[in-house]
Amino acid sequence: MRGDRRVTAADLAEARAVLPPPKQLVRPDQVRDVLTVAAAEGRAPRLAPPAPQVPAQASGEHQADEAGRDGVSRNEVDEGAEAIAVLEAALAQQRQIYDQVGGGVLAAALLYDSARGEHLRHQLRQYANRTAYRMRDASEGQEASNA
C-alpha cells in the first residue's frame, strides 16, 4: 500500500519507466532516491506522496494575519518547501554520482581517452567544490569576511 491506497499496475509501470537499467543501481536505497526525485520533478506523478490533509478551520476561529502567527508569510513557506525539494533532489543526484564514479570508472575512462577523462575529472571536482562552497554554513562566510 502507498498511503491509504494500494499500489496499482500503473504505479509500477510508471516506476519502471523512470528507473535506470538495473546494472546502474548499486544499492537498493538508490531505487527509492531515484523514484523520490522523479516524483518531485513531476516525471512520476502517480508516485508523488498524497497531499497532506489540512483540517478545515472553524468559521468562528480567528484567522492569522497575512504574515501568520510566527511572522512567516505563505510565500516564504512555499519558497522554503520548494527549496527543501530542490536540496532533496540534489542530494539524490549527488548520491547517484558518487555511486556511479566508483569501482574503477575513472581508471577505465583514463585508459579509453586520457585527455577527456582528465577533463571530466577536473569538471566533477570543480562542481563538487562549487557546491561545497555554496552549501557552507552562513556563519563560516561571515567569519571569513571578518578575518
Side-chain angles (χ1 to χ4, degrees), residues 74-132:
R74 178 69 183 159
N75 190 38
E76 290 171 319
V77 170
D78 291 344
E79 287 175 2
E82 186 175 324
I84 290 292
V86 167
L87 291 175
E88 287 175 339
L91 175 60
Q93 291 172 345
Q94 191 68 31
R95 284 178 178 159
Q96 276 189 304
I97 291 167
Y98 177 80
D99 292 336
Q100 289 176 347
V101 298
V105 169
L106 179 61
L110 292 172
L111 283 174
Y112 178 75
D113 184 342
S114 62
R116 182 76 176 144
E118 283 295 338
H119 175 74
L120 292 171
R121 176 181 14 198
H122 174 76
Q123 291 283 305
L124 282 165
R125 283 183 177 168
Q126 186 177 25
Y127 280 97
N129 288 335
R130 287 178 178 178
T131 300

Side-chain angles (χ1 to χ4, degrees), residues 3 5-6 9 11 13 28 31 66-67 69 83 90 101 103 109 129:
R5 71 176 187 83
R6 294 192 182 279
D11 295 334
V31 171
E66 180 67 24
R69 291 188 180 142
V101 298
N129 288 335

Side-chain angles (χ1 to χ4, degrees), residues 57-58 60-74 76-77:
Q57 188 173 18
E61 272 187 48
H62 173 72
Q63 293 189 358
D65 60 4
E66 180 67 24
R69 291 188 180 142
D70 56 0
V72 178
S73 71
R74 178 69 183 159
E76 290 171 319
V77 170

